[in-house]
Amino acid sequence: MRLKDKVAIVTGSSRSIGRAIALGYGREGAKVVVNYHSDSEAAQSAVAEIERMGSEAIAVRADTSSSSDVSALVATAVDRFGRIDILVNNAGILIRTPFLEIEESEWDRILEVNLKGFFLCSQAAAKAMVRQGGGGVIINMSSAGDTLAGQNLTHYCVAKGGVRMLTRQLAFELAPHKIRANAIAPGLIETDLNRADLAEPEFRKYRLSMIPLGIIGVPEDIVGAAVFLASEDSRMATGATIYLDAGQTIA
């Protein structure tokens, strides 16, 4: 119970990696705010599963690229649980488009959700953490794409590169308030975002050819690092990125 009585907001936690982290936090005793954008049923399912573990949880709808939605999300968390100790910026979208075919609107949407949303949530949560005192933890879900270029993923990789630097800035500027900020950069994890792509044998073979360990991860592979970074076990860690990519970034 390394997170007993801590309050955590996990954005985009109705599915995939976000859901796995929310459930992992529930198992460790945290009170969890399950954020979702559109799938209320999936979010409520996650809440019910956390409650069966003996922890508390609520589902809150918010578009993390909207400042008003983010303000309401944080306010709801504080109203319900009295404070915020942990923020996991996980909500994101993935669109594969060749660079020469990316339209301005698509570029803007990727950056709005995958980078601006992390800024908005981090700022709102950090302000709450500063007001309440006692520090806090921000964890940004990045990607091996913050370092590696990806086929037809210019906007996505640019956003993730921004997340890496945002993490370092948060760590630097929030350190006086005892707020730590770190990132997790998964490699190839099979989720709702890429399951259709990975169902194509040639694409799957191509992606596996770039991974030294030759494995594709699942959302649960990320939970251990997320718990570690949220707990006092990582009290010396800030501004760091943990790569969980089966060796992809060293190949």
Side-chain angles (χ1 to χ4, degrees):
M1 303 293 281
R2 284 180 286 175
L3 304 178
K4 184 171 175 56
D5 296 327
K6 297 291 187 181
V7 177
I9 297 175
V10 184
T11 68
S13 52
S14 64
R15 61 180 187 172
S16 300
I17 292 174
R19 182 187 182 96
I21 292 173
L23 297 183
Y25 283 0
R27 280 191 295 273
E28 292 289 341
K31 301 171 184 178
V32 185
V33 178
V34 176
N35 161 251
Y36 69 98
H37 181 257
S38 57
D39 195 341
S40 173
E41 185 176 345
Q44 292 296 342
S45 170
V47 167
E49 193 163 345
I50 292 168
E51 290 176 339
R52 283 194 292 272
M53 299 172 184
S55 295
E56 297 180 61
I58 57 171
V60 181
R61 197 212 74 81
D63 177 350
T64 56
S65 68
S66 162
S67 58
S68 59
D69 277 19
V70 168
S71 294
L73 170 64
V74 170
T76 299
V78 173
D79 288 345
R80 177 65 176 82
F81 295 120
R83 60 184 296 110
I84 299 169
D85 300 293
I86 303 158
L87 167 69
V88 179
N89 283 310
N90 169 76
I93 56 177
L94 174 69
I95 304 173
R96 293 185 183 276
T97 306
F99 172 74
L100 295 176
E101 299 174 18
I102 296 174
E103 296 188 3
E104 183 178 357
S105 59
E106 182 176 307
W107 173 275
D108 288 346
R109 186 57 182 158
I110 292 289
L111 271 291
E112 283 173 357
V113 176
N114 292 2
L115 182 55
K116 176 186 171 184
F118 283 37
F119 156 70
L120 291 174
C121 290
S122 295
Q123 187 181 67
K127 285 181 178 179
M129 292 172 182
V130 170
R131 285 194 298 268
Q132 71 200 17
V137 174
I138 297 173
I139 301 171
N140 291 326
M141 294 306 303
S142 186
S143 163
D146 72 1
T147 299
L148 299 173
Q151 188 70 34
N152 301 331
L153 289 175
T154 296
H155 39 17
Y156 180 84
C157 291
V158 167
K160 292 304 183 181
V163 167
R164 183 172 184 271
M165 197 62 220
L166 173 64
T167 301
R168 293 168 66 86
Q169 282 295 137
L170 293 174
F172 184 66
E173 296 202 36
L174 298 178
H177 303 287
K178 306 303 180 186
I179 298 171
R180 297 187 294 110
N182 294 286
I184 299 173
L188 185 57
I189 308 291
E190 187 163 354
T191 70
D192 294 345
L193 292 180
N194 62 15
R195 191 163 287 116
D197 292 330
L198 290 172
E200 296 292 330
E202 286 303 312
F203 180 82
R204 192 180 188 93
K205 181 180 178 181
Y206 163 70
R207 291 294 281 111
L208 280 168
S209 71
M210 299 184 291
I211 302 172
L213 287 180
I215 57 176
I216 297 174
V218 296
E220 288 70 24
D221 289 322
I222 309 303
V223 177
V227 171
F228 168 71
L229 290 176
S231 74
E232 283 300 302
D233 291 345
S234 63
R235 71 188 188 93
M236 291 289 287
T238 196
T241 297
I242 297 178
Y243 287 88
L244 301 178
D245 62 357
Q248 187 177 344
T249 50
I250 61 172

